[in-house]
Amino acid sequence: MNCELLATCSALGYLEGETYHKEVDCLESVKDLIRYLRHEDDTRDVRQQLGAGQIIQNDLLPLITQHGEDKVLFDACIRLMVNLTQPAMLCFGKVPEDPVFRHHFLEVTSHLQAYKEAFASERVFGILSETLYNLLQLDWDQRQEEDNLLIERILLLVRNILHVPADPCEEKKVDDDASIHDRLLWAVHMSGFDDLIKFLASAQSEQQWTMHVLEIVSLMFRDQTPEALVSAGQARSAEEQQKDLQELEALRQKEQAEKRSRTLQRGTRHSRFGGSYVVQGLKSIGDKDVIYHRTLHNFKNYTHDIGKSVRRVPKRNRQAKECKDKRRSALNVRLFLREFCVDFLENCYNHLMYLVKESLIREHAQEHDESYYLWALSFFMAFNRGNGFRADFVSETLSIRAFHFIERNITNYYEMMLTDRKEATSWSRRMHLALKAYQELLLNVNEMDRSQDESIRQSSNVIKSNIFYLMEYREIFLTLLRKFDETRQPYSYLKDLVESTHLFLRMLERFCKGRKNLMVQRKKVRRKKSRVEKNLPTLETSPETLAETWKTVEEELKASGFKLSESLTEGIVPFDATSETPLEEQRTEAMVRVQNALLARLGPEALGLLRAAREVWPEGDVFGSADVEPEEELELLKQILHANLPRSSPEPTVEEDDDDVAELEEEELESVQVSETEFNFLDFVKRFASPNIVRPYILLLKSYSKNTPHTNHCIARMLHRLAVDLKMDALLYQLSVFNLFNKILNDPAAAAYKELVTFAKHVVNRFFSVAAKNNKAYVELLFWKNVRAVCDMTEGYSKNGDGKKPAWTEEEEEELRKLYDEHRHSEEPDIVETLLQLLNNRNRTRRQVVTQLVHMGLVANAKELKKQKIGTRIVLWTEDQEEELQMLFEEYRDSDDVLGNILKKLTAKRSRARVVDKLLSMGLVAERRELYKRRSRKSQGKSSGKGMSEEEFLAGLTQGSPDDSVGRDDEEDGENESEESEEEEEREESLNGQRRSQSMHSTVERKADVGNTVNALHQEGMSGPLLWLQNCLNRTANDREEDGLSQPVPLVPLTEANEDAMDNKSFQRLLRKLGMRAPANEQESFWRIPAKISAADLRCAAAALSPTEDEPTGGEEQDGPSSPGGEPQQEGQEGEEEVAEVSGEQRAQALRALLLARKQKHHASEQTANVSDFTPSEDNESAAQRFQGPKTSAKRSRSRVLDDDEDDEDDSTTAMDVGADADSVGENTSAPVKRRRKMVLIDEEEDED
């Protein structure tokens, strides 16, 4: 011991016999020891030296027992003992991995165990109880701060002593023998300290000690089980005796069977004669048969693995360790604890659990304190259930709030178990604790059903109605079974999970039997409504098809007598009240809707639309007169069916007013709806028919000999539901399952497992009956099967042609090769669509054609034939295009439709959203509202483009809808492409030597592409998974800002909808664009948020998942900062609409592009000389060149954008880094760019003068 510590300890006093004589400087010495402990090092050297000197046993305990009247000294000693007895885990933070620190950890633990033995004294706890009793007698207004501190320190001291773990090497005690912990509990009981604990738990004025009391109570019952305490001191019931007899009979049968087998194995020859045999048909390492050198009675256990070293299992793949077993304490201790439980339930439980729950909800407790709450709930409710169930004793936790609290904690523990891998074992234990609490709640609700009190049974029905109605409570066991991981969760957890699932299904089945129809909650994903009815490109409009369609519609209308139902009449609205298009201009669209209904052979709907449109637009008798006859309506419908009506593309959502934006946001909130549906128990059980759920059951069944009969019954009942009730016994046709069945059937004590034996025989018999019909059944034994594979195996693989792709004949392959060779060098925008139209077999899909082309070697991979997305071909803004946009804005800024005119005159066609964002970033407009179309009362007719000249067609385009150019495909004919290439060459030559502004095009392209992908996923009904992903990103960003640390965070889908989304290719493409990291290898199961993405980038990514970002948000200004090159930091989503292919329109577009290109070349040549005079400094030029990419043509930029879909997460992070670097040099590059734009404008004004 250190000399200073030794001198200080000597100054405390000395023990003479049973009397302790304190020194004069005893109080100062105690304070010095507290000061030494405050400055100890990481090895806890002071603590170890004081423990080795047995300071508590020889000095401190005698001081408080013999000199307790000295209050100041007593307080100091209690304070010092609280510090010395604190758990070793708190001293070191965790169990050290370093051998040196592990040694220090074990030394501190051994000293704590010696302290615990010293505290097992009635005299010590008598002093503590007396002091605590005197302090509690004081009213709250009479207590000083020192009194409250002393109460808390006494409670902490008792908590620390009870927390000390037992030493298994020293305490080799059997059941019913008193251990050190039992002696400590007996000292607590004899001193009356347990009564003070119950008083603190029940008193209204002592609410601040609730968490300390709950910790002490949980540590008191650490080694106990509720069942053992219930049966303490009571005669065994007949049911328990029968259960014991069955277990003893099973053990006796097993022992007799093993004895018979040993008798049969005993050979007749001398024991030293082993014998040598040749095993025919079993080859050894060479070509000869195996030679067996042992007796024959053990030959059936022969394997080639005999004598081989056992393969070492990696640490990460080892099974999770079980917690230590419970032991039975001495009878007097169990009786005292039983009485404590009875009093605690009657007087303290409801009050204490309410206060603890409020502290947890309001986050007034410390971290992980909810584990004490979960333990107390499961322990005392189990004791109450076994000791004559009283619902009023546990009414506080027998509620829906308790179910919700536990379900939320289970979800949180599972997420943390996957995230915090170093502490996965601790999170797994907490999750097991929460599962046991959930199981106990179900058992208590089930016990309420058996009550004689009608009110209790009604309360049970109310609770069951809620937990069966809400989807979160119904599907929690499905989720936990699917997510079971034996490397993190022990077999005891799986046992409780299987038993809880069995109980829940039994309760649910019994609940459904008493009701004809049970309504439950379910999530309904609603697709987003489209603003305008889309065209029906799949409907054929050939004369023969139209004649057949009209015949069907006519017969349907005549059969109904031209009468419509009330629901159809009330639900039809012929116009869109939310559309910006004036009501008078929607007549053509209403006519198109009537035609669409006729083409779909919906006669009553078409007639209803016609009559509704007649009421809205009565003028001109366009939809017939008011007193029209049914025969005239029939003729009018026939004319509409055969008419060639103009069809406009859907309007993008950029131009919507404030009301439209509000409605769209409302629709987005309602995209994931919660609705009610009728519950079918058999359909719910079908959700368990999955190999991911069957595997955990088989894993637990492997330890059938160690399982309790109830556990084996739960396993057999679930497998019986799948194999017999659902007739999906093929789910169990797996080699490992059959091997387990063989082990059960050959078990000497098989008579004790009659239920398992019967079920195994049934499944094996069913397999052989299937194998007689399906010769591939034996191969199927090697694989786990899903529901589809089960149906294929039992009903046939090619039944009704399902799942069998049509093969390509030699003639079809030759035809495909010939057509591909003819059109491979053509100017077709999409060669696959051309081939589909020319193939004789019209049933071929695009995927089949692309796959066959790759298979025949005509193309290298499917990416070469990828269908190009509309509106995403040109995404980069060059300086020339910026100048052109600025000129067009100056030219049309006073017109009624600024944005529409700009879109028509732009050489490089872009979406409305991109042009609006560019105008905002360049500072030409302050807000989107300035670009709205000024409405005119004069309606403009729409032209179909037939029978007019080129000038009239161009004029019609000018007066048409501004959305005609949105989403237009940029594919042009050969002449236009040659003009474009010439323009590119001349533009590069004219701008040679001119400094280009740097651009963050990687980030811009990716964000624009993210917007398109998000909209597509919303239309596919994935609003729920997108909202879940957005919440994950925001939560991770908040955590990284609070903690200041970044680590990879897995994206764990806990609902079936989220799981399906994570398997969706489009959703995975979105994750890659956002920078998420896919599973690196087979050891990882989930996508992850990389650690190198900052919180700000995560928030930007979360904001990009909102589908309404590009829409105007009322009058809110969007004057965010722009990038150095004038490029907006966040591109809007591109509108992707299908535009009808009209040859005249393509020609007009080509002519207009040619004229603007020539003007552009003229302006570029004049501006080169002016701009060169204002060249920035060399530093700015070098900075710009460092971030400027190579000059590429429009086609190369398009291909680069299309390839972004296949980029990995590294590209995403690189894009973010480039954006960050570009911001750092923004000050050097932004000013010259603005000066150059001003000079360009000055030159233009001089030219106009």
Side-chain angles (χ1 to χ4, degrees):
M1 182 181 290
N2 182 276
C3 58
E4 294 182 359
L5 284 177
L6 183 59
T8 306
C9 293
S10 301
L12 291 174
Y14 60 94
L15 187 65
E16 185 178 6
E18 295 294 331
T19 306
Y20 188 86
H21 302 277
K22 68 174 183 176
E23 298 288 350
V24 179
D25 299 331
C26 181
L27 178 61
E28 287 72 14
S29 299
V30 171
K31 293 181 178 180
D32 288 340
L33 291 176
I34 296 174
R35 194 176 301 111
Y36 288 143
L37 284 172
R38 191 181 302 147
H39 297 92
E40 63 181 349
D41 59 8
D42 293 339
T43 62
R44 310 300 175 191
D45 55 339
V46 176
R47 194 176 305 271
Q48 292 186 53
Q49 294 180 47
L50 292 178
Q54 298 183 352
I55 185 173
I56 287 184
Q57 299 93 315
N58 298 333
D59 295 287
L60 296 181
L61 289 182
L63 274 175
I64 65 172
T65 54
Q66 299 182 23
H67 302 278
E69 66 279 356
D70 189 347
K71 299 299 182 184
V72 179
L73 179 62
F74 184 86
D75 292 352
C77 291
I78 293 294
R79 182 182 173 190
L80 177 59
M81 287 192 292
V82 169
N83 196 339
L84 286 173
T85 57
Q86 69 177 357
M89 192 72 73
L90 291 180
C91 297
F92 291 88
K94 61 177 183 179
V95 179
E97 297 180 359
D98 183 76
V100 176
F101 281 91
R102 176 69 68 87
H103 172 72
H104 295 311
F105 178 85
L106 295 176
E107 282 291 326
V108 172
T109 303
S110 63
H111 295 321
L112 289 174
Q113 291 165 351
Y115 297 159
K116 185 174 183 178
E117 186 174 2
F119 268 90
S121 168
E122 296 180 16
R123 187 177 182 185
V124 172
F125 271 95
I127 295 296
L128 295 177
S129 301
E130 182 180 355
T131 305
L132 183 60
Y133 176 79
N134 294 331
L135 292 173
L136 293 177
Q137 291 297 315
L138 300 175
D139 294 335
W140 65 271
D141 54 344
Q142 296 178 354
R143 289 185 196 173
Q144 303 295 325
E145 184 66 25
E146 294 78 8
D147 297 333
N148 288 327
L149 285 176
L150 184 56
I151 293 175
E152 185 174 10
R153 284 169 182 162
I154 291 176
L155 294 177
L156 287 176
L157 177 62
V158 176
R159 191 275 311 267
N160 292 344
I161 293 300
L162 289 171
H163 187 273
V164 176
D167 188 358
C169 297
E170 295 293 333
E171 294 188 32
K172 297 180 180 179
K173 303 290 184 180
V174 296
D175 286 348
D176 297 324
D177 195 2
S179 62
I180 294 179
H181 193 77
D182 292 341
R183 289 160 50 194
L184 188 68
L185 291 178
W186 188 251
V188 168
H189 174 58
M190 295 304 295
S191 64
F193 195 87
D194 56 333
D195 295 328
L196 295 177
I197 293 296
K198 287 183 283 187
F199 170 76
L200 289 173
S202 59
Q204 293 286 345
S205 59
E206 309 295 342
Q207 297 182 5
Q208 66 268 37
W209 316 119
T210 52
M211 289 308 305
H212 296 296
V213 170
L214 188 60
E215 287 184 63
I216 291 174
V217 171
S218 65
L219 293 172
M220 286 173 61
F221 291 89
R222 182 173 58 187
D223 296 334
Q224 311 299 325
T225 60
E227 296 78 11
L229 293 183
V230 167
S231 60
Q234 295 183 357
R236 300 180 62 81
S237 62
E239 182 181 353
E240 293 176 344
Q241 293 178 1
Q242 182 66 23
K243 183 179 178 180
D244 290 345
L245 287 176
Q246 291 177 358
E247 293 180 358
L248 289 174
E249 181 64 23
L251 291 174
R252 190 180 67 84
Q253 290 179 3
K254 187 174 182 179
E255 184 179 2
Q256 289 181 351
E258 291 176 352
K259 188 180 296 184
R260 285 195 301 269
S261 64
R262 285 196 301 268
T263 304
L264 295 175
Q265 291 176 4
R266 190 174 297 118
T268 56
R269 295 194 179 191
H270 195 276
S271 59
R272 287 175 292 179
F273 180 78
S276 297
Y277 306 91
V278 176
V279 183
Q280 295 182 356
L282 185 62
K283 298 297 181 183
S284 61
I285 299 177
D287 294 335
K288 297 182 179 180
D289 294 335
V290 171
I291 299 178
Y292 186 68
H293 294 283
R294 293 179 178 83
T295 55
L296 291 178
H297 62 267
N298 282 328
F299 175 70
K300 62 179 181 180
N301 297 326
Y302 173 78
T303 174
H304 288 299
D305 296 331
I306 293 178
K308 293 182 180 179
S309 58
V310 180
R311 183 181 179 183
R312 180 181 175 273
V313 180
K315 188 175 182 180
R316 63 176 179 272
N317 293 337
R318 294 175 187 172
Q319 294 180 354
K321 295 181 179 179
E322 296 284 347
C323 298
K324 61 178 182 179
D325 296 332
K326 304 292 183 181
R327 62 175 298 275
R328 192 166 60 222
S329 301
L331 179 60
N332 58 345
V333 175
R334 282 185 285 139
L335 290 174
F336 137 64
L337 292 177
R338 184 179 186 277
E339 292 300 323
F340 183 92
C341 286
V342 172
D343 294 341
F344 188 84
L345 279 170
E346 186 175 357
N347 303 309
C348 311
Y349 179 81
N350 287 330
H351 176 70
L352 180 67
M353 296 299 279
Y354 172 78
L355 295 176
V356 173
K357 180 75 171 295
E358 290 298 318
S359 299
L360 294 174
I361 293 177
R362 301 177 186 276
E363 297 182 353
H364 293 164
Q366 296 182 358
E367 191 177 12
H368 310 316
D369 276 348
E370 70 276 359
S371 58
Y372 294 108
Y373 176 85
L374 296 174
W375 172 87
L377 187 148
S378 60
F379 185 90
F380 286 106
M381 291 186 77
F383 181 87
N384 178 62
R385 182 170 47 85
N387 191 39
F389 177 74
R390 288 280 301 273
D392 54 329
F393 284 176
V394 292
S395 58
E396 171 58 34
T397 53
L398 202 56
S399 62
I400 297 298
R401 290 181 62 210
F403 278 96
H404 172 70
F405 180 79
I406 297 173
E407 186 268 338
R408 188 181 60 184
N409 277 281
I410 289 176
T411 304
N412 179 51
Y413 291 154
Y414 181 75
E415 291 179 353
M416 293 304 301
M417 186 177 66
L418 298 178
T419 305
D420 191 4
R421 291 191 171 184
K422 293 183 179 180
E423 299 295 331
T425 304
S426 300
W427 290 111
S428 174
R429 289 174 182 170
R430 297 186 186 104
M431 187 176 179
H432 189 188
L433 206 57
L435 176 65
K436 287 187 68 67
Y438 199 94
Q439 178 188 18
E440 194 55 47
L441 282 177
L442 291 177
L443 287 169
N444 275 262
V445 172
N446 189 45
E447 194 71 27
M448 291 171 67
D449 283 340
R450 306 174 185 174
S451 175
Q452 302 295 331
D453 192 346
E454 179 65 25
S455 61
I456 294 180
R457 292 200 300 270
Q458 291 179 359
S459 300
S460 171
N461 285 329
V462 171
I463 295 176
K464 289 192 295 183
S465 298
N466 281 275
I467 62 176
F468 295 152
Y469 175 80
L470 294 176
M471 187 174 58
E472 291 80 5
Y473 305 138
R474 269 199 329 272
E475 299 188 354
I476 184 173
F477 295 110
L478 272 168
T479 304
L480 294 179
L481 284 169
R482 279 202 305 264
K483 305 296 184 182
F484 175 73
D485 185 3
E486 60 178 324
T487 62
R488 294 187 176 95
Q489 295 160 323
Y491 278 173
S492 58
Y493 167 85
L494 181 58
K495 170 183 172 294
D496 290 330
L497 179 58
V498 167
E499 292 180 357
S500 302
T501 305
H502 171 76
L503 173 63
F504 183 82
L505 288 176
R506 192 178 61 185
M507 293 172 61
L508 182 58
E509 184 179 17
R510 193 164 55 241
F511 189 78
C512 293
K513 283 183 178 179
R515 291 161 179 79
K516 293 183 179 179
N517 50 357
L518 174 65
M519 302 302 294
V520 296
Q521 184 191 82
R522 73 179 180 93
K523 286 186 178 179
K524 180 181 179 182
V525 180
R526 190 183 71 173
R527 294 184 181 273
K528 185 178 176 181
K529 294 181 179 178
S530 58
R531 296 293 180 183
V532 183
E533 291 292 330
K534 295 185 178 180
N535 298 337
L536 301 175
T538 57
L539 297 177
E540 298 183 9
T541 58
S542 61
E544 297 80 5
T545 306
L546 290 177
E548 184 180 353
T549 301
W550 174 247
K551 183 178 179 181
T552 304
V553 171
E554 185 180 16
E555 293 176 354
E556 184 179 5
L557 290 176
K558 289 182 177 180
S560 62
F562 298 95
K563 294 182 180 180
L564 304 177
S565 61
E566 294 183 3
S567 60
L568 186 62
T569 305
E570 295 175 358
I572 291 180
V573 179
F575 62 93
D576 187 1
T578 63
S579 176
E580 193 173 335
T581 306
L583 188 62
E584 296 299 325
E585 297 181 10
Q586 294 191 32
R587 282 191 302 181
T588 307
E589 297 176 3
M591 193 80 72
V592 171
R593 291 179 63 187
V594 175
Q595 189 182 58
N596 289 340
L598 291 171
L599 291 173
R601 301 184 179 184
L602 301 175
E605 184 177 346
L607 182 59
L609 279 170
L610 182 67
R611 292 176 179 177
R614 184 188 306 145
E615 297 177 0
V616 178
W617 297 284
E619 61 275 0
D621 295 340
V622 178
F623 296 96
S625 60
D627 53 350
V628 65
E629 297 293 332
E631 290 78 9
E632 296 178 3
E633 286 183 327
L634 201 61
E635 184 64 26
L636 186 57
L637 288 175
K638 184 176 182 182
Q639 293 177 7
I640 294 175
L641 176 63
H642 291 82
N644 191 358
L645 301 176
R647 296 174 178 267
S648 60
S649 60
E651 293 184 3
T653 58
V654 177
E655 287 259 328
E656 295 180 355
D657 292 337
D658 299 343
D659 296 338
D660 299 332
V661 175
E663 181 184 349
L664 191 62
E665 291 176 353
E666 183 180 354
E667 283 185 9
E668 206 51 45
L669 291 175
E670 293 177 355
S671 59
V672 180
Q673 287 183 331
V674 176
S675 59
E676 287 188 345
T677 184
E678 188 172 350
F679 181 77
N680 188 306
F681 179 75
L682 203 59
D683 291 341
F684 180 71
V685 176
K686 289 179 182 177
R687 304 279 300 278
F688 290 85
S690 169
N692 293 332
I693 293 179
V694 174
R695 268 196 290 260
Y697 276 87
I698 300 302
L699 187 64
L700 185 60
L701 185 59
K702 290 182 179 179
S703 57
Y704 69 94
S705 58
K706 300 178 182 178
N707 295 339
T708 62
H710 177 65
T711 303
N712 287 333
H713 169 71
C714 294
I715 299 172
R717 186 69 184 95
M718 172 56 76
L719 298 181
H720 183 273
R721 290 184 191 273
L722 300 178
V724 180
D725 296 351
L726 299 181
K727 296 181 174 56
M728 290 188 181
D729 46 285
L731 279 171
L732 303 176
Y733 295 169
Q734 215 276 339
L735 205 56
S736 61
V737 179
F738 279 19
N739 185 31
L740 178 59
F741 285 168
N742 183 54
K743 182 179 178 182
I744 294 175
L745 294 174
N746 294 329
D747 194 308
Y753 314 111
K754 294 181 180 179
E755 190 175 19
L756 294 178
V757 170
T758 304
F759 179 77
K761 290 180 178 179
H762 168 76
V763 173
V764 173
N765 291 335
R766 288 283 301 165
F767 169 76
F768 285 114
S769 63
V770 171
K773 303 175 183 178
N774 184 4
N775 55 3
K776 299 178 182 177
Y778 295 99
V779 180
E780 292 280 7
L781 283 175
L782 300 175
F783 311 100
W784 289 99
K785 289 163 280 296
N786 55 21
V787 176
R788 184 173 182 178
V790 166
C791 295
D792 289 343
M793 181 179 178
T794 55
E795 301 177 7
Y797 295 99
S798 58
K799 183 178 181 181
N800 297 328
D802 293 341
K804 186 175 181 181
K805 298 180 179 179
W808 288 76
T809 62
E810 294 183 1
E811 292 78 8
E812 289 178 334
E813 290 183 355
E814 186 62 30
E815 178 190 9
L816 181 62
R817 182 181 289 104
K818 183 179 179 180
L819 291 174
Y820 179 77
D821 292 337
E822 291 177 359
H823 296 84
R824 62 186 303 180
H825 298 298
S826 64
E827 302 299 332
E828 297 291 339
D830 191 354
I831 188 175
V832 180
E833 293 295 334
T834 304
L835 297 178
L836 287 173
Q837 298 296 328
L838 297 177
L839 285 174
N840 293 329
N841 187 357
R842 294 301 182 90
N843 295 327
R844 294 293 181 184
T845 62
R846 179 185 181 90
R847 176 174 293 183
Q848 291 174 357
V849 173
V850 172
T851 304
Q852 188 64 20
L853 288 173
V854 175
H855 178 70
M856 295 169 63
L858 299 178
V859 293
N861 52 49
K863 294 180 182 179
E864 299 180 8
L865 302 174
K866 187 175 181 180
K867 190 174 183 179
Q868 296 178 347
K869 295 182 179 180
I870 300 175
T872 60
R873 310 194 78 196
I874 303 177
V875 295
L876 302 179
W877 289 85
T878 63
E879 289 187 1
D880 301 323
Q881 293 168 352
E882 292 178 1
E883 294 167 2
E884 179 190 10
L885 179 61
Q886 190 168 357
M887 288 190 302
L888 291 175
F889 177 76
E890 295 294 338
E891 181 179 353
Y892 296 107
R893 67 185 308 168
D894 296 328
S895 62
D896 292 339
D897 190 5
V898 182
L899 190 58
N901 292 329
I902 291 176
L903 288 171
K904 294 168 190 171
K905 297 297 183 180
L906 274 178
T907 305
K909 299 302 177 184
R910 298 180 182 271
S911 68
R912 183 178 295 263
R914 287 189 177 277
V915 174
V916 170
D917 286 340
K918 192 62 182 176
L919 290 172
L920 287 169
S921 66
M922 294 174 65
L924 298 178
V925 293
E927 56 184 11
R928 298 173 185 264
R929 190 182 297 275
E930 299 179 13
L931 298 175
Y932 286 175
K933 180 179 179 181
R934 299 180 180 89
R935 297 185 180 179
S936 175
R937 295 185 179 274
K938 182 180 179 181
S939 60
Q940 300 173 353
K942 295 185 180 180
S943 173
S944 62
K946 280 192 174 184
M948 58 177 66
S949 63
E950 182 175 305
E951 291 78 4
E952 292 174 349
F953 184 73
L954 286 173
L957 284 176
T958 306
Q959 296 181 2
S961 172
D963 301 330
D964 292 343
S965 62
V966 179
R968 182 177 294 134
D969 199 344
D970 293 329
E971 296 171 354
E972 303 169 350
D973 54 10
E975 179 181 355
N976 195 19
E977 287 186 357
S978 63
E979 292 288 340
E980 183 181 353
S981 62
E982 292 177 5
E983 176 191 352
E984 289 292 333
E985 293 175 0
E986 293 183 16
R987 184 180 303 167
E988 290 181 3
E989 292 176 0
S990 63
L991 296 179
N992 188 18
Q994 177 183 356
R995 188 188 67 83
R996 288 180 172 271
S997 62
Q998 47 123 2
S999 65
M1000 295 155 53
H1001 56 271
S1002 299
T1003 308
V1004 172
E1005 293 172 9
R1006 188 169 301 281
K1007 289 185 178 179
D1009 213 5
V1010 166
N1012 297 332
T1013 308
V1014 169
N1015 283 338
L1017 290 174
H1018 272 278
Q1019 293 176 2
E1020 293 178 9
M1022 293 191 183
S1023 302
L1026 286 174
L1027 182 60
W1028 164 73
L1029 177 60
Q1030 192 176 33
N1031 292 336
C1032 290
L1033 295 176
N1034 286 327
R1035 185 165 62 248
T1036 305
N1038 293 335
D1039 294 342
R1040 292 184 178 179
E1041 287 179 350
E1042 293 176 1
D1043 302 339
L1045 300 175
S1046 296
Q1047 58 182 353
V1049 179
L1051 296 171
V1052 184
L1054 296 180
T1055 63
E1056 194 165 352
N1058 293 346
E1059 278 192 351
D1060 296 339
M1062 296 299 288
D1063 295 335
N1064 186 282
K1065 298 297 182 183
S1066 301
F1067 198 83
Q1068 292 178 357
R1069 193 177 301 117
L1070 172 64
L1071 292 175
R1072 287 193 175 94
K1073 291 174 185 176
L1074 293 177
M1076 304 300 106
R1077 181 168 65 83
N1081 49 43
E1082 64 276 2
Q1083 303 298 333
E1084 295 184 358
S1085 303
F1086 303 102
W1087 287 69
R1088 280 168 169 72
I1089 303 176
K1092 52 188 173 183
I1093 299 182
S1094 64
D1097 292 333
L1098 287 176
R1099 296 192 189 280
C1100 292
L1105 295 178
S1106 176
T1108 59
E1109 286 185 354
D1110 290 337
E1111 298 175 8
T1113 57
E1116 182 182 357
E1117 294 185 2
Q1118 300 184 10
D1119 52 353
S1122 61
S1123 59
E1127 190 74 12
Q1129 290 185 358
Q1130 185 172 358
E1131 287 284 343
Q1133 300 176 359
E1134 296 185 17
E1136 294 188 6
E1137 298 87 18
E1138 296 181 1
V1139 182
E1141 297 181 359
V1142 184
S1143 60
E1145 183 178 354
Q1146 291 181 353
R1147 182 180 178 188
Q1149 180 182 351
L1151 290 174
R1152 187 164 57 247
L1154 180 59
L1155 291 174
L1156 288 176
R1158 290 177 180 174
K1159 289 182 182 181
Q1160 186 66 29
K1161 285 188 282 187
H1162 175 68
H1163 285 294
S1165 61
E1166 289 181 354
Q1167 294 165 6
T1168 304
N1170 295 330
V1171 175
S1172 62
D1173 295 337
F1174 292 88
T1175 305
S1177 62
E1178 293 181 0
D1179 294 339
N1180 294 338
E1181 277 188 348
S1182 62
Q1185 291 173 1
R1186 186 164 59 251
F1187 295 100
Q1188 177 181 347
K1191 299 177 180 179
T1192 56
S1193 62
K1195 294 182 180 179
R1196 290 176 59 189
S1197 65
R1198 294 171 191 165
S1199 63
R1200 185 168 62 251
V1201 174
L1202 293 176
D1203 290 341
D1204 281 347
D1205 290 346
E1206 287 79 19
D1207 289 344
D1208 54 7
E1209 66 275 2
D1210 296 332
D1211 294 337
S1212 173
T1213 55
T1214 304
M1216 294 178 181
D1217 295 339
V1218 170
D1221 295 338
D1223 290 337
S1224 64
V1225 298
E1227 299 178 357
N1228 299 331
T1229 59
S1230 59
V1233 172
K1234 293 182 179 179
R1235 286 200 298 269
R1236 185 163 64 253
R1237 290 175 183 163
K1238 292 180 180 179
M1239 290 304 302
V1240 170
L1241 294 176
I1242 294 173
D1243 292 341
E1244 291 174 358
E1245 293 175 358
E1246 292 177 356
D1247 292 342
E1248 292 175 358
D1249 295 338

